[in-house]
Amino acid sequence: MAVDILLPSMSAGMEDAVIARWLVTVGERVAKGQPLAEVETDKATMELEAEAEGIVGALSVAEGRRADVGQCIAVLLAEGESAPQAGAPAPVSAPAPVSAPAALAVQDPVVSGASPVAPAAPSDAVGQGRARISPVARRMAAAAGIALDGIAGSGPRGRIVKLDIARRLAGGPARSEPLAAPEPAAPAAPASGRSAVPPGIGPYTAQPVTNLRRVIARRLAEAKQSVPHFYLSADCELDALVALRAQVNEGRDKAQRISVNDFIVKACARALRQVPEANVIWHGDEILHLADVDISVAVATGGGLLTPILRGADRMSLGTLSAEMKALAERARAGKLRPDEYQGGGFSVSNLGMYGVKTFSAIINPPQSCILAVGAAERRPVGRGESIVLAEVMSITLSVDHRSVDGALGARLLAAIREGIEAPMSLLL
Amino acid sequence: MPDFTDLTPLAPWREIKATEAERAALDPKTGLTMLTQMSLIRVFEEKVLELAAQGLVHGPAHSAIGQEGGAVGSALALRPGDQVNGSHRAHHQFLAKALSYVAQQGLDPAGPFAADIRALSKRTLAEILGLAQGFCKGRGGSMHLRWQESGNLGTNAIVGGGVPMAAGAAWAHLRAGTGNVVYTYFGDGATNIGSVLETMNLAAAWKLPLCFFIENNRYAVSTNVGEVTAETRLSARGLGFGIPAFKVDGMDALSVRLASEEANAIMRAGDGPVIIEADVYRYFHQNGALPGSAFGYRSKEEEADWRARDPIDALARLLGERQIIGAEAVAALRLRCQQMMDEIASELIETHEGKKHIVPALWPEESFVDYGLRGDLSEMAGARYLEADAVAGPVAENVKFIDIVADVMERRMAGDDRIVVMGEDVHRLKGGTNGATRGLSQAYPDRCLGTPIAENAFTGVAAGMAADGRVRPVVEFMYPDFMWVAADQVFNQIGKFRHMFGGESPMPLVLRTKVAMGTGYGSQHSMDPAGIFATSPGWRIVAPSTPHDYIGLMNAALRCDDPVLVIEHVDLYNSRGPVPAGDLDYCIPLGKARVVREGARLTVLTYLAMVGKTRQVVEEMGIDAEIVDLRSLDRAGLDWETIEASVRKTNNVLIVEQGALGTSYGGMLADEVQRRLFDDLDQPVLRVTGGEASPSISKALEAAACARAGDVAAGLRAAMAGQGLPVAG
């Protein structure tokens, strides 16, 4: 009996995922528990294991394509079975000969295995040619003028449900549509909710939005629209830090050298311990004061920005912190972060200094209250008593959620961070 | 041979017959009134049979022709404040009591009939024909005649069904101390049914001023009394219950009157109920204008013998012998009765193209069909409502549910002496089997009534109390399954009362019961009654899941003029919750659900003990579900505003209940949801219920038979998978 492998929900709230890589091929025999595919969810890549043994009969979703939870992504066959022929018309439309039922009734279904695919159940035969769709989905589709052709339903027996219409309305690439199919030139029906391609943009290629990109887009849009940001900037002199860094890195393996960023993260951790009132999360009717200092550090990856967390960063030595950061960044770039490695955190650091950015303001990573944007270090003239000298200077900007952290408190936090950066020996204690 | 000692019954059993001296002493005015009443009734019944033969009476026409002596003889011994009820054959009793009420100074056989006599006859005939001007607006017809003002409590089509209710009215009279009495008329067939025998026992135990008036006409339809009972002298039933009993010739109205006067003296003296057995004969078959002999169950000779003893002729002879009225005047009386009934009939019936029809304008409007199934809740005006989330004053935390059950009742009884609590053991064991009536029998011994184990009778007694209006009974069923024992009173009588009698008669009765699933009481003590009550007409149902809601819903139930089932649950009795400190007086609106938890993906509709259980599972699984505690479960009480708002948001519905599939509540609710909200549904309405069978005593089997956390979890998974969002694990 052929078994459909449905994409399971692998984390709370997961609605879909990308089949990043198939680990098996059609015709391959698989054992129970054998990894079948790498599945890329919101932020992590996990392995999907076979729940039973069998022979891979079909892989229904191409690598790199998105599948909804509950969608059939592969078929496992028993010994001797062959895969149903995709695209072949189902043998149900032609009525059986009048004499057939009696004959069929006495046939041993195993012996008569010439047709290994079990005949469709009568109810399915009746349903042929009529889309199974829930009432509310039908109403939504009609209101939006959406054709039901090509929508694979997520409900039982392929029923098109509200979720499927909502996905179509949200503009997600429909599974059965060719990706590059250009939209018609006419403006899309406004009710569809799917934004029309802006006119006059000339030739283009459409790139499907990855899960990660969609999550980033949603969270940042939410943060920028709903969190009342304000921004505090300061310049930090780095000469002491640069000198100390050279000292601690002396003799270290190149791969294990401590970066300027490690110092900055450490300075933030120490500052949060000194100003615990700022280590908070806005939570509706209450403000959550966090016991631990957990710092999210932005890491650019091919798919988008990830923010793995250094948990208990204030208690780590600089060396441990640096090593931990390198390992997290590596896993982030490989898409191997576990949910607990990126979910949570009380404060974020985003550093674009290595790209020569002088100064910028970052968007808060909700539900956190602050994010520190770090610019490039450069030699700038600074005042020393009555004279002007050149010094290594870096601009930092703290973005603050005014709901949970007021201006003076934010300023105290920023001053503590700056103090740590400018007197880096304190970070070694 | 052992020694035998003769034992004698507690109460006397005697035949009573007027002496010649008493016949000679009959007051002429009483005799003429008796004659006139019997003539009016006889002619009225002949008119009904004539119309029935013409196909103008929809349904049966049970005539009492031949039986007038019993009804008139007894009714004329009653005071206007006394009351009667009867059975399916009751036109004569209804008219006798009503005529006695309308013409309290008596009737003159020679004079024209007063307008109110004519109006009474017309309204009665109109009711029998099912017309809007009838006493019950055409709802009741021949078998449900009620005119409370005249002391007619309502006749009944269930054999014996009205008898417990008459006892309830008698209880109200006894408590009010008016000395008024109630007569409940029924036939020989009813003396073998439980509700009558149970009521005899209860009325005797409580010394109710109730006369069990047996019209022994020898035939239950076609079955002779001797075929179905050994002691055919049916007044002997009283011997077993300590009820004094009289046997009397019902063809002799004067003797019946004497028997009634004897009975009334006993009852008005506070000595409890009396039985009168009147031997009578119906000249015709069960219904219609053919004699019984035409159906072969009795002989023409037997019918001729009884007709020779006709009660009207007998009285006319006596009055003639005493030269009070002559034969011509008797014939003229009959003629005037016929003229009046012909006139009345002609006002109700027209001839069109040679055929007779009811005048079309006289039918009730079709829109009247469901009117008055329940009251309009105008009695709730002025109620103070208080929801748990709106409590402003001090709160008593962790108050035990079962304590609130007793406390709120005591509070209401203190302020309203109409409230009477009754049920098995409610007066003992420190508040019944669960403590729900704790303290009530000490505080109000005359209003906390421990009943015999006779659910049908005591429920019917409560119904009679509630219909009376001077009492607001609160009945307890120790277990919900006992509703089947009391089913006639619960469903045929209480639930249908207001509607059947025209829509205006209140039935302010509260029925408390507790769901006991989980206590190991097995197949006959473990049901959830909500489904059965919700699919039966007339009942309101509330199911409080918190102490706060219990106070408010019980207060609303006690204020309501309709019967309200208050469902409790043993699992909740020991639960605790906050209530407003010192406030036992607020209400919760009937018909208002409570959103226990908000959510976006799924609407869970549930009630009673499953509210808390469902919430726990939903939160453990992290499902984004909205949980609605329905609180009011009857059709009229479903809070569609709340339900619709939730379903329009979530598009998915799961109904969770604990009890068995067959008698479930969710079936009715699912049907309502899909009819109202089909276009908003993303999948069929899903349900969690117990098994098909009734729960067993075995702990393992009982647990498997009732819906539990695992079933709720499975329901939630199905509901999420059905919308394309399967839950892992």
Side-chain angles (χ1 to χ4, degrees), chain B residues 273-537:
Chain B
V274 180
I275 292 174
I276 296 175
E277 176 194 7
D279 287 316
V280 294
Y281 202 74
R282 66 167 146 82
Y283 295 170
F284 295 96
H285 177 55
Q286 165 80 352
N287 61 73
L290 290 173
S293 57
F295 297 87
Y297 58 83
R298 64 193 193 192
S299 67
K300 289 180 180 173
E301 290 73 25
E302 180 186 301
E303 288 171 352
D305 287 349
W306 280 95
R307 276 181 180 268
R309 303 177 52 231
D310 184 83
I312 299 176
D313 292 349
L315 183 62
R317 261 197 313 277
L318 172 66
L319 295 176
E321 286 162 9
R322 291 187 53 199
Q323 301 193 335
I324 295 170
I325 188 168
E328 283 181 16
V330 172
L333 167 63
R334 178 172 165 81
L335 195 62
R336 267 209 317 290
C337 293
Q338 287 171 327
Q339 283 170 347
M340 182 181 77
M341 289 312 300
D342 286 345
E343 281 173 24
I344 288 172
S346 73
E347 290 163 16
L348 304 177
I349 288 155
E350 63 182 16
T351 304
H352 182 65
E353 295 179 351
K355 285 191 72 178
K356 293 192 170 192
H357 299 276
I358 302 289
V359 175
L362 303 181
W363 292 113
E365 294 289 329
E366 287 196 359
S367 60
F368 188 60
V369 62
D370 284 335
Y371 169 82
L373 184 54
R374 316 165 184 84
D376 60 5
L377 293 182
S378 56
E379 66 273 22
M380 305 306 287
R384 176 172 62 88
Y385 294 113
L386 181 63
E387 292 287 355
D389 58 11
V391 175
V395 168
E397 301 285 352
N398 286 322
V399 175
K400 207 167 169 184
F401 197 110
I402 189 66
D403 291 340
I404 282 299
V405 173
D407 289 350
V408 70
M409 191 59 66
E410 178 162 11
R411 172 76 177 168
R412 288 283 70 74
M413 289 177 83
D416 185 349
D417 66 4
R418 297 173 304 169
I419 295 175
V420 172
V421 169
M422 55 198 290
E424 290 147 357
D425 298 302
V426 294
H427 63 315
R428 293 275 158 72
L429 309 176
K430 294 184 179 169
T433 50
N434 293 88
T437 52
R438 165 184 47 74
L440 302 183
S441 62
Q442 289 78 40
Y444 313 104
D446 59 333
R447 290 194 281 139
C448 184
L449 312 177
T451 63
I453 302 175
E455 286 86 3
N456 199 46
F458 74 67
T459 305
V461 168
M465 293 173 172
D468 179 87
R470 288 172 291 182
V471 187
R472 294 179 92 91
V474 180
V475 178
E476 175 181 307
F477 282 172
M478 200 181 281
Y479 292 90
D481 309 62
F482 300 173
M483 74 180 189
W484 299 122
V485 181
D488 176 49
Q489 294 302 324
V490 170
F491 300 114
N492 270 325
Q493 310 297 343
I494 296 169
K496 296 175 183 173
F497 182 82
R498 178 192 282 268
H499 180 264
M500 184 170 84
F501 288 123
E504 308 294 352
S505 305
M507 176 53 73
L509 180 148
V510 170
L511 173 58
R512 291 181 42 246
T513 193
K514 59 160 191 260
V515 175
M517 273 181 263
T519 60
Y521 270 70
S523 300
Q524 298 170 336
H525 286 65
S526 302
M527 78 177 295
D528 173 353
I532 299 299
F533 276 81
T535 50
S536 303

Side-chain angles (χ1 to χ4, degrees), chain A residues 7 9-10 14-15 69-70 134-137 139 154-156 159-163 167, chain B residues 600-601 649-652 678-684 721-728:
Chain A
L7 180 64
S9 174
M10 299 165 89
M14 165 177 159
E15 295 183 7
V69 166
S134 79
V136 69
R139 194 158 55 81
S154 303
R159 185 192 302 142
I160 299 170
V161 294
K162 183 174 88 167
L163 188 68
R167 282 179 174 142
Chain B
R601 287 289 189 195
K649 175 172 66 173
T650 67
N651 305 112
N652 292 278
F678 181 78
D679 286 323
D680 291 290
L681 293 176
D682 204 21
Q683 61 178 316
Q723 52 181 298
L725 296 171
V727 180

